[in-house]
């Protein structure tokens, strides 16, 4: 019989619970990587997100595992990806991070256009000689 889950703090609501799922998504950066490891409680997953395709009665597979089975067997989390890794987390930290990334991408595009204008300006300047 598997041992009960340890109590951990939910990423979304910040409450400590032993009814949770742990993300095992590998974030790759350069040549190294690290597991996400974020924890989401079942209450947040059921009320704010879809729990996942592996839960019985879920939108995709009606014959998956029920929540109690997932709570008993933590090995079922091995392929589960959290809302944060999927880009749909609604917590204020993740929303702010997504906005910063969007701004950074927008500014990066503006910077590329400015550097292109500078390059064409310099080349046209040298064409006068």
């Amino acid at each position: 019989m598997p041992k009960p889950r340890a109590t951990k703090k939910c990423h979304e609501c910040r409450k400590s619970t032993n009814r949770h799922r742990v993300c095992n998504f590998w974030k790759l950066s350069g040549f190294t990587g690290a597991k996400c490891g974020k924890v989401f409680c079942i209450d947040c997953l059921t009320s704010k997100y879809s729990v996942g395709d592996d839960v019985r009665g879920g939108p995709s597979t009606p014959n998956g595992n029920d929540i109690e089975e997932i709570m008993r067997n933590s090995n079922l989390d091995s392929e589960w990806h959290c809302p944060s890794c999927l880009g749909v987390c609604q917590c204020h930290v993740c929303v702010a991070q997504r906005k910063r990334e969007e701004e950074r991408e927008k500014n990066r595009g503006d910077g590329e256009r400015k550097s292109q204008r500078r390059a064409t300006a310099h080349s046209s300047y040298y064409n006068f000689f």
Side-chain angles (χ1 to χ4, degrees):
M1 183 169 143
K3 63 181 181 177
R5 289 180 182 236
T7 301
K8 294 191 177 185
K9 191 180 284 189
C10 175
H11 172 77
E12 176 82 28
C13 66
R14 305 286 189 222
K15 292 180 184 173
S16 293
T17 181
N18 64 349
R19 293 178 48 85
H20 62 271
R21 297 196 82 177
V22 179
C23 181
N24 285 302
F25 182 72
W26 279 91
K27 295 180 180 182
L28 300 176
S29 59
F31 294 107
T32 61
K35 277 191 181 180
C36 167
K38 288 182 181 151
V39 175
F40 282 80
C41 69
I42 295 298
D43 295 334
C44 286
L45 289 173
T46 55
S47 65
K48 298 176 181 158
Y49 312 99
S50 66
V51 176
D53 294 338
D54 59 344
V55 176
R56 187 174 294 132
S60 300
T61 55
N63 56 357
N65 304 306
D66 63 4
I67 291 174
E68 295 308 318
E69 188 175 348
I70 291 170
M71 292 301 97
R72 284 191 303 271
N73 188 356
S74 61
N75 292 334
L76 295 174
D77 282 346
S78 64
E79 295 297 320
W80 182 74
H81 302 317
C82 70
S84 180
C85 290
L86 296 174
V88 296
C89 183
Q90 300 168 3
C91 79
H92 68 281
V93 174
C94 289
V95 170
Q97 182 179 2
R98 280 195 302 271
K99 284 183 181 178
R100 280 193 306 270
E101 289 173 359
E102 289 172 6
E103 281 293 318
R104 198 173 298 132
E105 286 297 319
K106 179 183 168 196
N107 292 339
R108 185 175 295 144
D110 291 345
E112 289 173 4
R113 285 194 293 271
K114 287 178 185 176
S115 64
Q116 288 173 354
R117 284 196 304 252
R118 283 188 198 121
T120 57
H122 290 300
S123 67
S124 63
Y125 172 76
Y126 291 113
N127 287 336
F128 286 118
F129 297 109

